[in-house]
Amino acid sequence: MFDAVFGVQLAALFAWRRDVRRFRRDPLPAAALDRLLALADLAPSVGNAQPWRFMVLDGARKATLAEHVDAASEAAAQRYDAKRAAAYRSLKLHGLREAPAAGAVFCDEAPRAGHGLGIATMPEMLRYSCVMAIHTIWLAARAEGIGLGWVSILDPGAVARMLGGDEGWTFIAILCLGYPEAETDEPELQRAGWQAREGGHVLSG
């Protein structure tokens, strides 16, 4: 089904899947979010539980979240020495104000689907499944020229209360979606001199 040309294209997709923080303000096509969310449902999940729950955020919630992330970012900067703090403050760490779309991802800790298969001993597999759904959206978006940024400098409990997810849901992520200001296959933090990409560490058993 898949030939060598597809393999090369897939490797390129992985390389160009970057965490985007700088977005153009152009709106996404009307059906883009629906299409990406439908593709997320193809992600693997423990027991076929599909525990991911997506919440599309309106402009007011995006603005409130941007203020929260800015405050959390400044608090994080204060943990560094002066030189590293200056470098940290020079980074652009989220695109909540510019991205035309943003969403929250929650994990349903007791989904009706799946009948509990695979989570009796490792309940965290539900959350790992949600991360797989996020990665699926990430790759699918990149294939359409859409960038995604995962916002992680925040207080998860405060954000969960702010957004008001259902009881039994665990907050997983805030995602920004939109067209990147510039196309690059180089991680932004590497380009900014914060941290070069390193290979994984493989241990033999």
Side-chain angles (χ1 to χ4, degrees):
M1 181 181 295
F2 303 112
D3 59 14
V5 172
F6 176 83
V8 171
Q9 293 172 331
L10 181 60
L13 178 61
F14 290 147
W16 284 84
R17 190 271 336 132
R18 300 270 54 87
D19 191 321
V20 176
R21 291 93 181 271
R22 302 176 190 274
F23 295 92
R24 305 195 324 247
R25 293 182 181 268
D26 313 46
L28 296 177
L33 279 180
D34 290 340
R35 186 165 56 249
L36 293 175
L37 291 174
L39 287 170
D41 286 338
L42 299 178
S45 65
V46 62
N48 202 21
Q50 303 162 76
W52 43 82
R53 304 291 180 259
F54 296 101
M55 179 186 293
V56 178
L57 304 178
D58 60 23
R61 277 181 162 169
K62 282 173 57 183
T64 301
L65 277 168
E67 293 177 1
H68 172 84
V69 172
D70 287 345
S73 182
E74 178 53 33
Q78 295 174 21
R79 301 188 182 103
Y80 295 111
D81 62 37
K83 183 178 179 180
R84 181 60 76 170
Y88 178 90
R89 291 189 177 100
S90 73
L91 300 172
K92 181 167 178 56
L93 298 175
H94 72 87
L96 281 164
R97 292 186 174 87
E98 301 84 13
V105 185
F106 292 85
C107 177
D108 186 342
E109 301 287 356
R112 286 177 294 178
H115 307 289
L117 177 63
I119 60 174
T121 54
M122 290 187 67
E124 63 270 26
M125 288 298 295
L126 289 169
R127 301 179 192 182
Y128 298 161
S129 297
C130 294
V131 173
M132 291 298 295
I134 292 169
H135 193 243
T136 299
I137 288 180
W138 215 328
L139 293 175
R142 178 64 270 178
E144 294 192 20
I146 298 170
L148 183 149
W150 187 330
V151 184
S152 61
I153 304 173
L154 45 74
D155 179 335
V159 171
R161 291 189 294 273
M162 186 188 308
L163 299 180
D166 285 4
E167 185 177 353
W169 290 8
T170 297
F171 171 77
I172 301 294
I174 293 293
L175 308 176
C176 297
L177 285 156
Y179 295 109
E181 276 190 354
E183 301 284 355
T184 180
D185 63 350
E186 183 181 18
E188 180 158 338
L189 294 180
Q190 177 171 296
R191 192 166 62 252
W194 180 265
Q195 170 65 58
R197 178 171 287 279
E198 299 178 353
H201 303 282
V202 180
L203 303 178
S204 58

